[in-house]
Amino acid sequence: MHVGLVIAKLITMLLGFLIAYQAYRGYRRNDSQPMFYVAVGFVFISFGAVIEGILFDVIGLSLFDSGTVATIIVALGMLSVLYALYGGDYRGNRG
């Protein structure tokens, strides 16, 4: 296993989860629905950062299949963040 890559992926995941946690705190503190979607999006993006290696090295999926699954998970996270930015009118006011 590539120790340097694993460490870098874990740091990336940790940072993403930290961002998600802060966004969730913002959602709870301000009852801000967009912050909830930002939090969910960063959880998906962070998990997607490490799932490819897990699927390839541990589960034994092909590199193509592992990459496809990881890309779909990251894309779902980005869609969630995009929805937070451009989604519905949460408070009845448009800026």
Side-chain angles (χ1 to χ4, degrees), residues 3-85:
V3 176
L5 180 60
V6 170
I7 291 170
K9 292 277 190 177
L10 290 174
I11 290 170
T12 301
M13 185 177 73
L14 179 67
L15 290 171
F17 284 156
L18 182 61
I19 293 168
Y21 174 71
Q22 291 298 341
Y24 181 74
R25 286 184 60 210
Y27 158 69
R28 297 283 299 195
R29 182 180 21 219
N30 301 312
D31 196 28
S32 172
Q33 198 68 18
M35 290 305 285
F36 175 77
Y37 289 107
V38 169
V40 169
F42 268 95
V43 166
F44 274 86
I45 292 167
S46 301
F47 183 66
V50 298
I51 192 65
E52 182 177 5
I54 293 170
L55 292 174
F56 180 72
D57 283 338
V58 177
I59 305 297
L61 285 180
S62 72
L63 189 57
F64 175 79
D65 291 339
S66 303
T68 301
V69 170
T71 301
I72 290 170
I73 291 171
V74 170
L76 289 172
M78 290 183 177
L79 282 172
S80 183
V81 172
L82 190 65
Y83 183 73
L85 296 173

